[in-house]
Amino acid sequence: MGVESRQQPALSGDGRLLASLVDRGGRTTVILQERRSGRVLPLRQLRNRQPHSSPSLSWNGRYLALLVQQGGRRQAVIEDRATGQQHPLFLPPAQEPQQLSLAPDGQSIALELINGGSRRLQVFSLAGMLEPDLAPGLRESGGGPQVQP
């Protein structure tokens, strides 16, 4: 494989994985790569839904969120790399996602939406859909400062 031009880089919170976009045969596709080894990791559910844009990774890289082309529209989807499942985010028909950013814990996502020519940002909770992808040593609940053993 020759040198590829990469765009829209996104690092996992732990810095271990890098998602970026490349042009393959006139179609933009996302590549997920281990930074140290350079090994490209498979993304099972995304192969037939191109082009891709706006990749974003959770803390450990379990979740990869991005925009895919669905017919004549863009759709925000999240691939759960642990289970192989793909979670589409269903938006009202008049709202077209332009960019997204997944929270490191995978519990919310921010979308830039276009509706009738106007742009707005909206944050959606994913708490009922995705398990938390937390940094090692962090608790899921509690109100005080994190205590390290």
Side-chain angles (χ1 to χ4, degrees):
M1 180 168 27
V3 176
E4 296 175 304
S5 175
R6 297 191 177 203
Q7 299 175 354
Q8 298 183 24
L11 282 172
S12 59
D14 62 7
R16 190 177 56 85
L17 300 176
L18 172 67
S20 58
L21 302 178
V22 297
D23 184 23
R24 294 248 168 104
R27 303 215 54 153
T28 304
T29 191
V30 67
I31 289 182
L32 184 62
Q33 190 171 23
E34 289 180 337
R35 287 191 47 232
R36 287 197 176 169
S37 69
R39 183 171 70 106
V40 174
L41 304 174
L43 298 169
R44 299 172 282 221
Q45 302 296 323
L46 296 172
R47 288 187 206 138
N48 298 322
R49 301 178 77 188
Q50 293 175 313
H52 303 147
S53 64
S54 194
S56 186
L57 289 162
S58 62
W59 181 264
N60 297 298
R62 174 176 177 175
Y63 302 114
L64 170 65
L66 71 158
L67 300 176
V68 297
Q69 197 67 29
Q70 182 71 28
R73 294 181 40 111
R74 285 190 194 114
Q75 182 178 26
V77 297
I78 300 169
E79 179 164 325
D80 182 340
R81 295 183 44 253
T83 65
Q85 289 185 303
Q86 189 176 84
H87 302 278
L89 301 178
F90 296 103
L91 301 170
Q95 295 184 21
E96 181 100 4
Q98 295 301 299
Q99 291 188 36
L100 59 77
S101 181
L102 183 65
D105 66 0
Q107 296 300 282
S108 59
I109 190 167
L111 293 170
E112 176 187 357
L113 302 168
I114 293 183
N115 185 357
S118 65
R119 293 177 185 261
R120 67 184 180 94
L121 296 177
Q122 188 165 351
V123 177
F124 295 92
S125 173
L126 303 173
M129 185 168 50
L130 304 178
E131 294 177 25
D133 188 19
L134 301 175
L138 293 182
R139 296 176 293 166
E140 285 189 51
S141 62
Q146 299 297 317
V147 178
Q148 298 297 324

